[in-house]
Amino acid sequence: MAQANPYPLRADRTLMEKFKILAAGNGRSVNKEIEMLMRRAVQEYEREHGPIAVPAPAETE
């Protein structure tokens, strides 16, 4: 059974419902719409400020 809200965002209910409609209109799931917006935000930031350095994950033994 699907969760009522599988995205544990603290967002206003009306905003989330509107966002679901927006995502569907773009042919994406809410998850993919969020991912696309995140990618766009990172690209815009890096275009203005340069690449963001991401530390390598710690090795596990």
Side-chain angles (χ1 to χ4, degrees):
M1 185 167 83
Q3 296 175 337
N5 181 10
Y7 307 98
L9 298 173
R10 293 187 178 160
D12 176 77
R13 180 177 294 192
T14 302
L15 176 61
M16 180 57 87
E17 291 306 314
K18 288 180 179 186
F19 193 77
K20 288 177 184 179
I21 293 167
L22 185 138
N26 289 329
R28 291 188 274 272
S29 66
V30 170
N31 187 69
K32 286 297 180 184
E33 190 74 14
I34 291 169
E35 182 179 351
M36 186 274 307
L37 292 171
M38 291 172 65
R39 287 181 189 278
R40 186 179 296 166
V42 169
Q43 288 171 349
E44 289 175 13
Y45 181 92
E46 288 185 323
R47 202 171 18 254
E48 186 173 332
H49 302 283
I52 300 170
V54 179
E59 292 185 29
T60 57
E61 294 181 38

